Amino acid sequence: MSGLIGKKIGMTSFHDASGKKVPCTVVEAGPCVVTQVKTKESDGYDAIQLSYDDKKEKHTSGAMLGHFKKAGTSPKRIIREFTRFEIGHQKKLGDIVSVEEFKENEFIDVVGTSKGKGFQGVVKRHGFKGVNDATHGQHNRMRAPGSIGASSYPSRVFKGMRMGGQDGNRRVKMINLQVVKIFPEKNLLLIKGSVPGPSGSYLILERWM
Amino acid sequence: MNKGELIRFAEEQLTEKKKLPVFRAGDTITVKYKITEGNKERIQDFQGIVLQMSGKGSYKTFTVRKISNNIGVERIFPISSPFLDDVIVNKRGVVRRARIFYLRKLRGKKARIKERRR
């Protein structure tokens, strides 16, 4: 596996060689710093810890300052661990992982936090149809869930019954997204189609071998 | 660099720069548009009056209107389209607005646009 932390910049589109319009998302990916290398001997498992996006020293706790100092880097905002980083990798503490970790036209997975929609009813949250009649005795039931169970047996509502609640603002992973283009000089990555979350939100990019 | 600059950078890298003449609403232009029939490619002309320019960056388009067999025909061309071969400005017109939709309601002599002279 190979991974990177990035930031969603926004969307654009361009015409490919055949003249088709390709919608794509611009992602600023890396450069990330290796802030810790975990090994089986010392930690029980193999992993690499990457950090991304500078933050001010005064906003960093003393303990974290020492952690970043060990890697010889400025304090970072986002820290994520990547397990099973390419077998036989030569990543050392303080190494910089850049967008060149990925190649054009290969497929990656993107993890983000979806846009928050607040407390939503079942029609928006679970795709219920609601009541399809505006007449025949309906007046305030148009988007109601309907029955949520039977009567004296089982005398309760089953666990996991789909109801209203918080929608969005959760971890979403999209798999097999195509990398269209890479601009290493600006750390930019173009991904075909859309990715979860609002512009400016953080993303985790992964490629499994 | 802020977000807009980064997106603009990506757009500039992906779209090849075309040298099109400057034109605006009210101008009469001929659009040379590439058309593939089977595996043959030819260039089709579309001559008419520019109604509006819309969008920006890689989404920029312009609308051209002409009267064909007494029926008004409008076509929208994306500026970044690789099929857009060339634009020739035939006449520059004097109009007071950026979008001249009022032209759709006018016919014959009333639909004339004064030519801009310099």
Side-chain angles (χ1 to χ4, degrees):
Chain A
M1 176 208 182
S2 146
L4 212 55
I5 310 169
K7 202 191 255 178
K8 177 169 168 180
I9 301 294
M11 289 192 73
T12 181
S13 69
F14 68 96
H15 292 275
D16 67 3
S18 62
K20 246 188 190 166
K21 203 146 207 209
V22 183
C24 52
T25 311
V26 184
V27 175
E28 191 182 48
C32 299
V33 182
V34 178
T35 41
Q36 197 179 356
V37 180
K38 294 194 173 179
T39 57
K40 212 152 204 162
E41 294 84 65
S42 58
D43 308 276
Y45 61 101
D46 286 319
I48 268 186
Q49 189 190 73
L50 295 182
S51 299
Y52 170 67
D53 216 9
D54 285 334
K55 68 171 174 179
K56 282 183 178 168
E57 248 173 56
K58 67 173 179 181
H59 295 141
T60 314
S61 69
M64 286 316 290
L65 264 179
H67 183 68
F68 289 118
K69 208 174 161 191
K70 220 190 260 177
T73 171
S74 54
K76 304 283 181 196
R77 212 175 284 272
I78 302 292
I79 301 168
R80 288 289 180 277
E81 211 170 86
F82 292 83
T83 49
R84 285 192 276 158
F85 217 87
E86 244 146 67
I87 304 144
H89 69 82
Q90 295 297 316
K91 301 270 185 291
K92 289 189 290 294
L93 194 66
D95 275 4
I96 285 172
V97 185
S98 78
V99 71
E100 285 167 77
E101 198 74 23
F102 301 123
K103 285 189 269 307
E104 277 171 21
N105 291 328
E106 69 181 7
F107 291 88
I108 60 170
D109 300 347
V110 177
V111 183
T113 308
S114 64
K115 279 184 186 172
K117 307 267 189 272
F119 193 106
Q120 292 297 333
V122 288
V123 173
K124 191 184 181 84
R125 190 168 182 229
H126 297 299
F128 283 20
K129 284 219 173 113
V131 178
N132 288 330
D133 271 327
T135 56
H136 294 298
Q138 317 294 342
H139 78 101
N140 58 0
R141 320 282 315 137
M142 302 278 282
R143 295 173 71 87
S147 167
I148 54 169
S151 181
S152 59
Y153 183 77
S155 279
R156 63 189 175 91
V157 174
F158 289 125
K159 274 189 178 174
M161 180 60 61
R162 292 174 296 167
M163 293 188 182
Q166 165 70 33
D167 192 16
N169 194 19
R170 64 186 175 87
R171 182 189 156 100
V172 175
K173 183 182 207 172
M174 289 182 78
I175 60 169
N176 291 336
L177 301 179
Q178 194 183 1
V179 176
V180 183
K181 200 100 186 150
I182 289 171
F183 302 114
E185 68 270 30
K186 298 253 192 253
N187 295 311
L188 286 188
L189 192 79
L190 255 68
I191 295 170
K192 189 172 172 183
S194 54
V195 302
S199 297
S201 64
Y202 291 105
L203 303 169
I204 295 168
L205 317 168
E206 307 170 328
R207 186 200 56 209
W208 295 88
M209 298 310 279
Chain B
M1 259 172 125
N2 64 30
K3 282 195 285 185
E5 282 169 11
L6 286 172
I7 289 179
R8 239 170 284 141
F9 169 81
E11 281 174 357
E12 273 168 28
Q13 299 286 312
L14 290 165
T15 50
E16 44 180 314
K17 274 264 177 307
K18 255 180 289 192
K19 278 237 164 84
L20 293 181
V22 182
F23 56 91
R24 50 161 292 176
D27 297 351
T28 306
I29 61 170
T30 307
V31 182
K32 304 269 183 192
Y33 204 69
K34 280 185 212 156
I35 285 186
T36 37
E37 287 166 335
N39 42 15
K40 259 195 174 155
E41 203 179 64
R42 65 184 185 86
I43 286 173
Q44 193 182 56
D45 288 1
F46 190 94
Q47 189 178 35
I49 295 170
V50 181
L51 284 197
Q52 64 163 342
M53 312 285 283
S54 137
K56 57 182 178 180
S58 66
Y59 296 96
K60 196 170 184 181
T61 61
F62 59 92
T63 309
V64 184
R65 179 184 172 87
K66 72 169 179 183
I67 306 287
S68 173
N69 295 335
N70 236 349
I71 295 166
V73 178
E74 277 178 29
R75 219 170 144 179
I76 301 167
F77 296 97
I79 278 190
S80 65
S81 168
F83 298 117
L84 183 67
D85 193 49
D86 200 7
V87 171
I88 296 162
V89 180
N90 307 107
K91 211 163 84 176
R92 301 211 176 263
V94 183
V95 286
R96 289 190 174 186
R97 46 212 81 214
R99 287 156 195 229
I100 50 168
F101 298 138
Y102 65 82
L103 206 68
R104 286 171 178 162
K105 287 186 185 156
L106 305 178
R107 278 296 169 97
K109 277 191 170 181
K110 279 207 162 148
R112 283 176 303 179
I113 290 175
K114 220 200 248 171
E115 194 171 347
R116 191 164 77 209
R117 306 202 181 272
R118 51 181 84 184

